[in-house]
């Protein structure tokens, strides 16, 4: 029998979880708070469920120093569901702001308002996407599916600067962002902070998205959530699936600027959206509805929230005043150790992305130039050493070592030892 302590798992998601959290989870699944029933069996509207939600929110807010004018939501859509939710919600806000401005000019003439709204949507509605990898590409494709290609501006397609493949982030002066004119600009700008498949991570918040007239920035942090400091105020929406650094599969977390919620912002009515041939989103992805109901509009998987809360509370307790900065130091140290070894044996290993944008979370590389048989042998040798989950994504192949928070320093060192041994014997 293989014990949990005998292996180190580098899978990209679902990812490893802290053993201590899993041990507590096993207990509460059977008997939560000595109530005689398990956590999966309690009502999502019970005081216990509300306490679990409050604890998870508090832990995340503490780690990332989330300002009071931001809301934390829990949804069941996963990161991919948020590709849709951001479009539904922010386009509806853009439309209503435009309608209010036009109504202020023409008064109660609804026919004229609708006529000018059609023109405004046709000529002005844009959603900007920075496509730096497979997930941001999927996000842009979903936006295109929902609102049509004419409204989606791919301001950056990194493949054009890298021979048709992802692996770089071109300089910002090469991006074609929608101009931010007075009263204008895109309904949103989306980017993926860390590309799980391609091993590309933005080293910092893009300068091009800053300023007094900054657009509504939606950032997908699914695979580097709670791994480094984040200036939350720079973002309108931060979202991510929990199954990388935060918890198990089943929930998405959204950090949302409260100014985008009623009474500060009002989305366009479904009737107006339909009249303009724009999509009306499902109620379970409607941010105002989810916020109004404390993430409990529908039956939320409270066990999944509990796991996420336990993971985040563990980091709060471990790093104290350093908050997420403590985990950032560990994440950086592990990544540096692995990359230094790969670079040391560059005749054997080739790191896929450019050095300036190497992900700290998903370390993608090829063995002997991508020789299929040698990479298969590399993976087989790793498994014999208890190093699991190293196979690259099916769409790109190669090797991928996911360096999530639950991967210990000992795990990183074990991988480095294997990299050394393999390189010396090749």
């Amino acid at each position: 029998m293989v014990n949990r302590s005998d292996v180190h798992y580098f899978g990209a998601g679902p990812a490893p979880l802290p053993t201590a959290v899993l041990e507590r989870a096993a207990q509460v699944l059977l008997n939560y708070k000595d109530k005689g029933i398990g956590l999966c069996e309690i009502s999502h509207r019970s005081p216990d469920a509300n306490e679990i939600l409050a604890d998870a929110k508090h832990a995340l807010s503490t780690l990332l120093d989330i300002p009071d004018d931001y809301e934390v939501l829990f949804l069941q859509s996963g990161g991919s569901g948020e590709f849709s939710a951001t479009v539904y919600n922010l386009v509806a806000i853009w439309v209503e702001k435009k309608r209010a401005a036009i109504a202020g000019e023409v008064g109660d003439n609804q026919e004229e308002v609708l006529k000018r709204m059609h023109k405004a949507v046709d000529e002005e509605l844009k959603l900007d996407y920075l496509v730096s990898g497979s997930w941001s590409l999927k996000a842009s494709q979903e936006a295109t599916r929902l609102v049509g290609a004419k409204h989606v501006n791919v301001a950056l397609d990194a493949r054009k600067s890298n021979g048709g493949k992802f692996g770089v982030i071109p300089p910002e002066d090469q991006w074609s962002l929608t101009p931010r004119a007075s009263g204008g600009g895109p309904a949103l700008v989306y980017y993926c902070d860390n590309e799980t498949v391609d091993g590309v991570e933005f080293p910092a918040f893009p300068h091009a998205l800053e300023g007094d007239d900054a657009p509504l920035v939606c950032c997908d942090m699914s695979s580097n959530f709670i791994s480094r400091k984040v200036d939350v105020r720079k973002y309108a929406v931060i979202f991510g699936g929990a199954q990388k650094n935060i918890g198990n599969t089943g929930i998405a977390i959204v950090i949302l600027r409260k100014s985008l919620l009623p009474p500060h912002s009002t989305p366009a009515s479904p009737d107006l959206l339909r009249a303009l041939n724009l999509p009306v989103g499902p109620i379970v992805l409607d941010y105002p509805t989810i916020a109004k109901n404390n993430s409990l509009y529908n039956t939320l998987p409270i066990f999944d929230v509990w796991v996420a809360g336990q993971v985040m509370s563990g980091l709060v307790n471990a790093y104290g005043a350093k908050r997420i900065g403590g985990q950032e130091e560990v994440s950086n140290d592990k990544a540096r150790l692995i990359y230094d070894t790969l670079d040391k044996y560059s005749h054997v290993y080739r790191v896929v992305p450019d050095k300036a944008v190497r992900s700290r979370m998903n370390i993608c590389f090829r063995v002997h130039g991508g020789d299929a048989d040698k990479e298969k042998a590399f993976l087989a040798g790793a498994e014999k050493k208890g190093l699991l989950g190293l196979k690259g994504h099916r769409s790109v192949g190669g090797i991928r070592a996911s360096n999530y928070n639950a991967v210990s320093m000992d795990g990183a060192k074990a991988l480095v030892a294997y990299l050394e041994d393999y390189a010396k014997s090749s």
Side-chain angles (χ1 to χ4, degrees):
M1 177 179 176
V2 178
N3 294 316
R4 184 175 178 84
S5 59
D6 295 332
V7 304
H8 298 287
Y9 184 61
F10 297 91
L17 287 164
T19 298
V21 171
L22 291 177
E23 290 173 341
R24 291 195 295 273
Q27 296 171 359
V28 301
L29 274 172
L30 286 174
N31 194 344
Y32 184 65
K33 287 188 172 181
D34 291 325
K35 293 177 180 291
I37 61 172
L39 180 53
C40 287
E41 300 164 303
I42 70 169
S43 169
H44 68 296
R45 302 201 185 280
S46 66
D48 284 330
N50 278 279
E51 181 183 42
I52 289 168
L53 270 168
D55 288 347
K57 286 184 181 181
H58 178 72
L60 180 58
S61 297
T62 300
L63 282 174
L64 296 185
D65 196 21
I66 298 175
D68 291 339
D69 55 346
Y70 280 73
E71 183 64 79
V72 177
L73 308 178
F74 295 87
L75 302 93
Q76 292 167 275
S77 59
S80 294
E82 291 308 304
F83 294 166
S84 308
T86 51
V87 173
Y88 289 134
N89 285 277
L90 297 187
V91 166
I93 289 173
W94 184 93
V95 168
E96 176 56 24
K97 286 183 177 178
K98 187 65 65 174
R99 186 210 63 78
I102 292 173
E105 296 174 4
V106 305
D108 295 331
N109 187 337
Q110 297 303 311
E111 183 177 343
E112 180 64 18
V113 169
L114 186 59
K115 177 182 175 181
R116 291 181 59 174
M117 279 299 304
H118 273 290
K119 186 174 188 298
V121 168
D122 185 59
E123 296 179 358
E124 300 175 37
L125 177 60
K126 293 293 181 184
L127 289 70
D128 285 3
Y129 281 79
L130 306 181
V131 176
S132 58
S134 300
W135 286 110
S136 49
L137 177 61
K138 287 179 182 292
S140 70
Q141 290 169 338
E142 174 63 358
T144 299
R145 188 182 72 86
L146 293 176
V147 299
K150 69 177 294 182
H151 298 303
V152 176
N153 172 40
V154 177
L156 156 68
D157 185 341
R159 296 171 295 182
K160 294 180 179 179
S161 300
N162 196 43
K165 296 183 178 181
F166 294 118
V168 302
I169 298 177
E172 293 185 17
D173 60 8
Q174 296 180 20
W175 303 358
S176 56
L177 293 163
T178 298
R180 291 179 239 165
S182 177
L188 65 88
V189 178
Y190 164 96
Y191 78 96
C192 181
D193 207 35
N194 183 77
E195 291 282 2
T196 320
V197 173
D198 307 284
V200 171
E201 185 175 31
F202 277 80
F205 185 83
H207 293 296
L209 304 183
E210 296 189 285
D212 294 337
D213 59 345
L216 298 179
V217 178
C218 303
C219 187
D220 178 358
M221 292 188 180
S222 290
S223 51
N224 65 354
F225 232 151
I226 64 170
S227 72
R228 67 179 181 182
K229 295 178 182 178
V230 175
D231 185 353
V232 174
R233 289 196 180 277
K234 293 182 182 294
Y235 303 89
V237 181
I238 295 171
F239 69 83
Q243 69 274 12
K244 312 289 188 180
N245 270 330
I246 294 182
N248 54 294
T249 305
I251 56 170
I253 299 176
V254 174
I255 303 171
L256 174 70
R257 194 178 289 160
K258 286 182 180 178
S259 62
L260 297 174
L261 296 170
H264 311 288
S265 294
T266 303
S269 70
D271 286 344
L272 177 57
L273 292 171
R274 281 191 286 266
L276 297 171
N277 297 315
L278 292 172
V280 177
I283 196 71
V284 292
L285 296 182
D286 183 66
Y287 292 154
T289 299
I290 303 304
K292 181 180 178 180
N293 289 275
N294 189 33
S295 298
L296 295 172
Y297 175 78
N298 58 329
T299 306
L300 189 68
I302 288 297
F303 174 74
D304 301 339
V305 179
W306 180 90
V307 171
Q310 291 290 302
V311 171
M312 294 186 290
S313 295
L315 295 180
V316 171
N317 294 333
Y319 298 117
K322 283 188 174 182
R323 301 190 182 187
I324 204 59
Q327 180 60 53
E328 182 175 19
E329 291 174 5
V330 175
S331 296
N332 291 348
D333 287 344
K334 290 186 296 173
R336 188 180 304 112
L337 190 66
I338 296 169
Y339 278 124
D340 284 351
T341 306
L342 294 172
D343 289 339
K344 179 181 177 181
Y345 298 101
S346 58
H347 62 290
V348 177
Y349 308 116
R350 177 179 61 83
V351 178
V352 174
D354 183 78
K355 194 169 186 176
V357 295
R358 288 178 176 179
S359 169
R360 300 163 306 117
M361 294 288 101
N362 307 104
I363 300 170
C364 298
F365 60 98
R366 306 307 299 253
V367 176
H368 288 295
D371 182 284
D373 291 334
K374 290 183 177 179
E375 289 190 334
K376 186 176 181 180
F378 175 90
L379 291 169
E383 288 203 18
K384 290 179 181 178
K385 297 284 187 179
L387 306 171
L388 308 181
L390 287 167
K391 187 175 181 179
H393 191 272
R394 63 186 181 278
S395 65
V396 296
I399 315 297
R400 174 175 55 179
S402 293
N403 176 39
Y404 297 134
N405 291 354
V407 173
S408 66
M409 181 60 76
D410 286 342
K413 289 179 178 178
L415 175 59
V416 163
Y418 176 65
L419 291 171
E420 293 260 5
D421 289 344
Y422 181 89
K424 290 174 182 177
S425 63
S426 293

